[in-house]
Amino acid sequence: MDDFIGGNDRAAAKIVDRYAQRLINLARSRLTNRLRNRIDPEDIVQSAYRSFFRRAGDGDFELKRSGDLWRLLAAITVHKTLKRVEFEKAKKRDYRSEENVIAGASSNSEFPGFADFDRDPTPDEAIMVVDELAAVMKPLSERDRGIIERRLQEMTFEEIAASTEVSESTVRRVLRRIHDDLFGRLIGE
């Protein structure tokens, strides 16, 4: 830990290598099978590491005993997992109601809120979407832009992974990050 605070990047890599799989397993253990389809435990662990390294760099943690680092990383990971589950269970995006709504909807008249999706976007709406997408894609690496472009062409994760020579989990992680960035932009975070 002292090496990391002293600016040794290899110390950070050692911390990640030592605990990553255990933290992924911990996050996964807190998710139901249904939630695992929506939430990638690796994304949670990456977020936990970002928070940890940022705050550790600011000197916010004092680790005195053996095992304190693991306990701290585990606590951050569990907290991040529970916050993400809470987010997914929020009323408007409650994963438990998706199948019921789709299965029970024989027409849009049963669900008036869906009527807006039956029409094509107006020219102004189309321009707004294109502008927003361009703004999100501009800072992305060439690899990440390729992933999003392929997904917009409705390629599967497997097809994207094969065509970009990355793993499916990387494709999912990139798409989740871009999704979260876009969502944050839309709600003004």
Side-chain angles (χ1 to χ4, degrees):
M1 191 64 185
D2 292 334
D3 288 343
F4 167 72
I5 292 171
N8 183 341
D9 290 335
R10 291 191 327 182
K14 282 183 182 179
I15 292 170
V16 170
D17 291 343
R18 181 171 183 185
Y19 296 108
Q21 193 56 54
R22 287 173 61 191
L23 293 170
I24 289 167
N25 292 340
L26 177 63
R28 184 177 290 118
S29 74
R30 300 291 197 265
L31 301 172
T32 64
N33 286 336
R34 230 169 169 189
L35 276 171
R36 282 188 209 125
N37 292 331
R38 296 176 65 102
I39 301 171
D40 186 353
E42 291 179 29
D43 289 342
I44 292 170
V45 172
Q46 283 186 349
S47 176
Y49 273 131
R50 274 193 304 273
S51 295
F52 167 75
F53 285 124
R54 184 185 71 249
R55 292 190 58 203
D58 292 342
D60 288 352
F61 304 123
E62 189 174 324
L63 306 176
K64 295 180 180 180
R65 296 185 325 246
S66 173
D68 280 354
L69 180 56
W70 163 249
R71 285 188 285 280
L72 176 62
L73 289 170
I76 293 169
T77 301
V78 168
H79 175 76
K80 296 269 186 184
T81 304
L82 295 176
K83 292 300 278 183
R84 185 60 189 267
V85 168
E86 182 181 312
F87 175 83
E88 292 296 334
K89 286 184 174 180
K91 188 173 182 173
K92 288 190 177 184
R93 67 189 144 272
D94 189 348
Y95 70 96
R96 295 170 293 188
S97 64
E98 282 179 359
E99 292 175 6
N100 295 337
V101 169
I102 293 168
S106 58
S107 73
N108 283 336
S109 62
E110 294 180 41
F111 296 94
F114 290 114
D116 291 340
F117 297 108
D118 279 346
R119 65 172 178 77
D120 289 331
T122 66
D124 287 341
E125 290 170 335
I127 289 170
M128 185 178 68
V129 169
V130 169
D131 288 347
E132 200 62 36
L133 185 58
V136 168
M137 290 182 69
K138 184 177 181 180
L140 298 178
S141 68
E142 186 175 323
R143 181 200 72 179
D144 291 358
R145 274 194 304 275
I147 288 172
I148 191 78
E149 287 167 358
R150 286 168 174 85
R151 188 63 182 147
L152 289 170
Q153 295 168 7
E154 299 184 4
M155 291 176 72
T156 66
F157 296 144
E158 185 177 280
E159 292 169 334
I160 295 169
S163 68
T164 57
E165 299 179 349
V166 298
S167 68
E168 281 186 57
S169 63
T170 298
V171 170
R172 290 178 190 279
R173 192 170 33 259
V174 167
L175 291 173
R176 172 54 68 187
R177 182 175 41 83
I178 293 167
H179 170 272
D180 292 347
D181 289 349
L182 184 57
F183 184 76
R185 290 173 65 90
L186 293 174
I187 63 170
E189 284 186 345

